[in-house]
């Protein structure tokens, strides 16, 4: 019986049925053909898990760490650039540059990833971010520094979404969620790493006159923070394109060759990989060569904002907004919290909780805009926090089958901790509760694993990159809102943010169940 639609023959045994805007891939068996037709999930599972997957995980850990250092480590660089004589307003503009850059180019990265390839997009992103971040270390003034940081963060903004998509499509379906969550561990390592590097580098005392600039420790720190991007760029040359992207583009034979190559690197003996035919078990987009760029962008984006994907994209965007606005907003002011703690001890201030310490810190009028060192206390706290969150990340990866439950629990801990910070006495307990409030950062890995799992291959890269854009907008807004009210209205600010996190918990309850109902 003939199936309705227009048949586009690729070979005597394989057809695509075109019924408008989408292509549904069908496999039609030929009794004379002995090769079994595998789905992509079956094919990638048969490719095994070995050195290729481990190596790609290492690559993405390094790339994500480079991205995080390029964005968040920049605040330390700005604070220690004393010779640029940066004012408070100029400092605010500089710190905003990494977020603005990633917001503007997140959308183009999604389109580039879904149309030109995951690996090509990742390499291009690493090239641009590494070169521009390195050049920024030689900026003669704050304006040049701002422009270069805007440009470097524009390139690095694609690393997270593209890299995690590439990993998710190149490894076993059983390990995909765990690896995506586990790789995100590097984001927490980077927080401790840049504090350690800053501690040792800023303690150096040198000044080299290069003619157009004086090369001081903060410039060396900027170069060191860009180093992981360069290492990732070298490592990226040893990996291949996502076979799923290639198959989705209509190149079955090339996809099989890539799957075979991956299986061999994973340790499977040559010529023993059984897959000769592979198909996608999902609806894919039809790309026409005569489409205009605008039409192509629309076709790549609009399906995400139509049923059935609309509900899920809005849901994920809201959860992303809650977590990133809270996490990045308070992380940006983490040095202030540590400084209030130190000031309280040094001055013997009679404050019994974090809000009291912040209030007294304001009264002591500590408004120095330039720092030349990172305190040893901050380094130890960041190390402990990084290890703690790292352990939690691995627990989350291990419990990947229960990620919705874990997400809800983490948001509950975060919301509860934030609510009790102004109420509970004791400096040490206040710092512990503050770290508990920041535990929502562990949710970042879970959120982006949903971006990888919940959308078709054709729109996955775009969905993830739009998620990054929403994340950066939220981070920028959160940073400014926290900075505006934390010092002047500490208790009310924490109550409001705790309620905001609680709303994210409520929305998370409507995510897909951990295990589908049978």
């Amino acid at each position: 019986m003939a199936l309705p639609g227009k048949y586009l023959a690729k070979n005597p045994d394989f057809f695509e049925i075109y019924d408008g805007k989408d292509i549904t891939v069908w496999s039609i068996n030929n009794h004379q053909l002995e090769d079994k037709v595998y789905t992509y999930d079956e094919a990638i599972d048969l490719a095994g898990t070995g050195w290729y997957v481990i190596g790609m995980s290492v690559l993405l850990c390094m790339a994500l760490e480079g991205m995080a250092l390029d964005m968040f480590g920049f605040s330390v660089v700005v604070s220690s650039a004393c010779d640029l004589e940066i004012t408070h307003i100029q400092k605010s503009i500089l710190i905003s540059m990494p977020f603005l850059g990633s917001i503007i180019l997140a959308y183009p990265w999604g389109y580039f990833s879904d149309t030109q390839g995951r690996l090509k997009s990742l390499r291009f992103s690493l090239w641009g971010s590494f070169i521009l971040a390195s050049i920024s270390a030689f900026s003669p003034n704050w304006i040049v520094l701002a422009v270069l940081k805007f440009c470097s963060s524009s390139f690095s903004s694609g690393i997270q979404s593209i890299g995690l998509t590439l990993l998710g499509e190149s490894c076993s379906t059983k390990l995909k969620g765990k690896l995506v969550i586990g790789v995100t561990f590097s984001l927490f390592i980077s927080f401790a790493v840049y504090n350690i590097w800053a501690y040792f580098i800023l303690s150096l005392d040198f000044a080299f006159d290069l003619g157009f600039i004086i090369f001081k420790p903060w410039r060396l720190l900027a170069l060191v923070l860009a180093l992981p991007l360069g290492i990732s760029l070298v490592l990226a040359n040893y990996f291949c394109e996502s076979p799923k992207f290639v198959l989705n583009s209509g190149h079955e034979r090339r996809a099989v060759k890539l799957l075979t190559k991956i299986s061999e690197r994973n340790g499977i003996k040559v010529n023993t990989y059984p897959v000769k035919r592979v198909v996608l078990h999902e609806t894919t987009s039809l790309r026409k060569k005569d489409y205009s760029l605008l039409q192509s962008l629309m076709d790549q984006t609009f399906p995400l904002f139509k049923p059935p994907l609309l509900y899920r994209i809005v849901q994920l965007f809201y959860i992303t907004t809650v977590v990133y606005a809270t996490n990045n907003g308070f992380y940006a002011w983490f040095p202030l919290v540590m400084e209030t703690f130190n000031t309280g001890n040094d001055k013997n201030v009679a404050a019994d909780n974090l809000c009291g310490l912040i209030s007294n810190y304001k009264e002591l009028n500590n408004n120095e805009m330039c720092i030349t060192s990172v305190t040893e206390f901050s380094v130890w706290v960041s190390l402990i926090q990084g290890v703690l969150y790292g352990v939690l990340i691995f627990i989350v990866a291990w419990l990947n089958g229960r990620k919705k439950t874990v997400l809800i629990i983490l948001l509950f801990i975060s919301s509860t901790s934030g609510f009790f910070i102004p109420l509970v006495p004791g400096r040490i307990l206040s710092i512990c509760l503050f770290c508990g409030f920041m535990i929502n950062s562990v949710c970042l890995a879970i959120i982006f694993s949903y971006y990888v799992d919940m959308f078709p291959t054709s729109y996955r890269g775009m969905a993830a990159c739009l998620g990054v854009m929403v994340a950066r907008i939220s981070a920028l807004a959160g940073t400014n809102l926290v900075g505006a009210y934390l010092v002047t209205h500490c208790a009310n600010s924490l109550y409001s943010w705790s309620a905001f996190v609680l709303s994210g918990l409520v929305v998370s309850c409507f995510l897909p169940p951990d295990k589908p109902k049978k």
Side-chain angles (χ1 to χ4, degrees):
M1 178 179 177
L3 295 170
K6 180 180 178 182
Y7 291 82
L8 305 175
K10 284 190 172 181
N11 56 53
D13 314 301
F14 188 81
F15 297 92
E16 289 179 342
I17 300 178
Y18 173 55
D19 58 356
K21 295 182 179 179
D22 295 326
I23 288 180
T24 303
V25 179
W26 297 78
S27 173
I28 301 178
N29 293 329
N30 186 328
H31 295 293
Q32 297 178 350
L33 187 64
E34 297 181 357
D35 291 336
K36 177 183 176 180
V37 180
Y38 294 85
T39 65
Y40 183 80
D41 287 346
E42 293 172 337
I44 196 65
D45 285 344
L46 288 171
T49 301
W51 287 111
Y52 184 88
V53 174
I54 294 173
M56 180 170 285
S57 299
V58 172
L59 161 65
L60 292 181
C61 282
M62 186 65 68
L64 287 178
E65 184 173 332
M67 177 209 70
L69 292 175
D70 183 53
M71 293 189 65
F72 304 113
F74 185 60
S75 60
V76 178
V77 173
V78 171
S79 298
S80 55
C82 305
D83 53 319
L84 295 184
E85 299 180 352
I86 303 172
T87 66
H88 178 70
I89 295 177
Q90 293 168 350
K91 181 180 178 181
S92 299
I93 294 173
L94 282 169
I95 293 178
S96 299
M97 286 299 106
F99 298 106
L100 291 175
S102 59
I103 289 170
I104 291 176
L105 274 194
Y107 181 81
W109 278 125
Y111 174 78
F112 192 62
S113 171
D114 280 341
T115 57
Q116 302 301 315
R118 320 299 193 199
L119 187 63
K120 182 187 294 186
S121 302
L122 180 63
R123 287 174 178 170
F124 191 55
S125 179
L126 289 170
W127 264 112
S129 56
F130 171 64
I131 292 174
L132 291 168
S134 300
I135 296 175
S136 69
F138 301 91
S139 301
N141 54 61
W142 77 274
I143 296 177
V144 174
L145 181 60
V147 172
L148 289 173
K149 183 51 60 175
F150 172 84
C151 295
S152 70
S153 62
S154 297
F155 278 91
S156 66
S157 63
I159 292 175
Q160 183 175 358
S161 55
I162 297 170
L164 294 180
T165 300
L166 175 63
L167 177 64
E169 294 179 352
S170 303
C171 67
S172 167
T173 56
K174 297 179 181 179
L175 290 178
K176 177 175 63 175
K178 292 182 179 180
L179 287 176
V180 169
I181 293 173
V183 163
T184 314
F185 170 64
S186 58
L187 294 175
F188 304 101
I189 291 296
S190 64
F191 181 70
V193 166
Y194 89 75
N195 272 294
I196 295 173
W197 282 350
Y199 176 75
F200 287 105
I201 293 175
L202 294 180
S203 65
L204 300 175
D205 185 16
F206 63 82
F208 301 108
D209 189 351
L210 302 182
F212 65 103
I213 62 166
I214 303 296
F215 194 85
K216 292 189 174 183
W218 71 268
R219 297 183 185 273
L220 176 60
L221 177 61
L223 286 174
V224 172
L225 293 179
L227 191 59
L229 294 170
I231 297 174
S232 303
L233 179 59
V234 175
L235 293 177
N237 293 317
Y238 295 94
F239 297 91
C240 57
E241 182 56 85
S242 160
K244 193 170 189 178
F245 170 82
V246 173
L247 181 62
N248 185 67
S249 301
H251 304 288
E252 182 193 4
R253 291 184 180 179
R254 185 184 167 206
V256 171
K257 289 181 179 179
L258 292 176
L259 286 166
T260 304
K261 185 177 181 179
I262 290 174
S263 70
E264 292 175 357
R265 290 193 183 181
N266 279 332
I268 295 178
K269 294 182 179 179
V270 180
N271 298 326
T272 59
Y273 184 61
V275 178
K276 306 300 178 184
R277 300 292 310 281
V278 60
V279 295
L280 279 177
H281 232 208
E282 62 183 46
T283 300
T284 64
S285 65
L286 178 67
R287 299 189 179 97
K288 293 184 178 180
K289 294 182 179 179
D290 58 348
Y291 271 8
S292 66
L293 176 61
L294 179 60
Q295 183 64 45
S296 182
L297 284 169
M298 292 170 60
D299 288 348
Q300 201 64 38
T301 307
F302 283 6
L304 291 171
F305 297 94
K306 294 180 180 179
L309 300 180
L310 173 62
Y311 173 71
R312 292 304 181 194
I313 198 74
V314 172
Q315 186 181 35
L316 277 182
F317 279 177
Y318 185 80
I319 300 172
T320 300
T321 299
V322 170
V323 173
Y324 271 83
T326 306
N327 178 261
N328 288 272
F330 281 88
Y331 254 130
W333 296 98
F334 189 79
L336 170 65
V337 174
M338 295 298 99
E339 184 64 21
T340 58
F341 188 90
N342 287 332
T343 301
N345 285 335
D346 295 341
K347 303 292 184 179
N348 294 319
V349 176
D352 58 353
N353 59 30
L354 182 63
C355 286
L357 289 171
I358 291 177
S359 177
N360 285 320
Y361 179 82
K362 180 186 176 185
E363 292 177 3
L364 290 172
N365 196 28
N366 289 297
N367 293 318
E368 293 183 5
M369 299 306 301
C370 181
I371 63 172
T372 56
S373 64
V374 174
T375 64
E376 187 175 345
F377 177 77
S378 298
V379 173
W380 279 110
V381 170
S382 64
L383 278 174
I384 295 171
Q385 191 178 38
V387 171
L388 174 62
Y389 289 176
V391 171
L392 288 174
I393 279 289
F394 281 108
I395 293 175
V396 170
W398 182 57
L399 296 174
N400 178 60
R402 301 287 183 182
K403 61 184 179 182
K404 177 182 175 181
T405 303
V406 174
L407 176 63
I408 292 173
I409 292 174
L410 290 173
L411 290 176
F412 176 76
I413 294 174
S414 175
S415 178
T416 304
S417 298
F419 179 80
F420 279 105
I421 288 175
L423 302 176
V424 177
R427 298 179 185 177
I428 298 297
L429 185 55
S430 291
I431 294 296
C432 291
L433 285 173
F434 186 81
C435 291
F437 180 58
M438 298 303 297
I439 205 173
N440 58 65
S441 59
V442 180
C443 301
L444 307 182
I446 301 176
I447 292 172
F448 273 92
S449 71
Y450 275 113
Y451 279 105
V452 173
D453 290 341
M454 289 173 54
F455 298 96
T457 305
S458 300
Y459 310 111
R460 184 173 294 154
M462 179 62 75
C465 285
L466 287 176
V468 169
M469 183 174 70
V470 171
R472 299 298 181 248
I473 293 174
S474 305
L476 179 61
T479 300
N480 286 280
L481 287 173
V482 171
Y485 295 102
L486 182 62
V487 175
T488 56
H489 303 85
C490 178
N492 290 335
S493 179
L494 286 168
Y495 291 147
S496 300
W497 282 103
S498 298
F500 188 43
V501 174
L502 186 62
S503 72
L505 184 155
V506 173
V507 174
S508 299
C509 293
F510 297 95
L511 286 168
D514 289 323
K515 290 186 177 180
K517 296 181 181 180
K518 296 183 179 179

